[in-house]
Amino acid sequence: MTATMGPAEDRVQRLVRLLRERGHRLTLARRALLEELAGAGTHLTADELTERVCRRAGQVHQATIYRSLDALERAGLVEHVHLGHGRAVYHLADDLHQHLVCEACGSVAEAPAGLFSDVQRRLLNSHGFAMRPYHFAVLGRCRDCEAQPGESASTTAVGATPASRPPTSV
């Protein structure tokens, strides 16, 4: 009798199959990273992933984590994004979305993957440039901060210094 797998385990199995189909080896670190990212429910930095993988699989050197993340990105299974000025965070590429970062409070919201489809199409048609919008975050002000009296994103000068509060995790 086989045990029923949950959604995270099913997702990991599908990603492992894709990894192998794309000609990459499955290592202990790569599998542990896929498992952590599938079960995380949030975006994680390389440091956070190193800590989690070490708890799961024993001591794994941080350089191995970075090399494994790079290999998983090359295989098209993982994406990283820079949320403002902080460290890059990682998430699985089968859940592509855009990141909206509030410069005032540091909140991060996820927006649908197709948010920039018109811009992508226009760039391709007019410049022959294929944009990948998932690598960066869109900076601005969230609804709550925009509603507060004072400066708004629509009146802030180009090059103005954002609030000094650090961004929160997604």
Side-chain angles (χ1 to χ4, degrees), residues 6-16 37-39 92-95:
E9 293 88 3
D10 288 342
R11 190 177 185 192
V12 169
Q13 291 302 321
R14 187 172 28 81
L15 293 168
V16 165
L37 288 167
L92 294 174
D94 65 353
D95 178 27

Side-chain angles (χ1 to χ4, degrees), residues 86-159:
R87 294 180 177 155
V89 292
Y90 296 84
H91 63 92
L92 294 174
D94 65 353
D95 178 27
L96 288 179
H97 50 270
Q98 187 57 57
H99 303 86
L100 310 175
V101 179
C102 180
E103 293 177 297
C105 71
S107 66
V108 178
E110 293 180 1
L115 182 67
F116 288 111
S117 58
D118 289 341
V119 174
Q120 283 179 288
R121 193 172 23 264
R122 288 174 57 196
L123 283 171
L124 189 58
N125 291 339
S126 59
H127 300 285
F129 185 80
M131 180 176 116
R132 286 185 55 241
Y134 312 109
H135 184 72
F136 65 91
V138 176
L139 304 178
R141 291 172 63 94
C142 68
R143 178 177 293 132
D144 291 341
C145 291
E146 189 68 8
Q148 293 178 4
E151 268 188 27
S152 71
S154 59
T155 61
T156 302
V158 174

Side-chain angles (χ1 to χ4, degrees), residues 30 33 61-74:
R30 291 175 188 179
L33 284 167
H61 196 276
Q62 191 165 25
T64 301
I65 297 297
Y66 278 104
R67 283 192 306 272
S68 297
L69 285 168
D70 185 54
L72 292 171
E73 278 194 272
R74 284 193 319 274

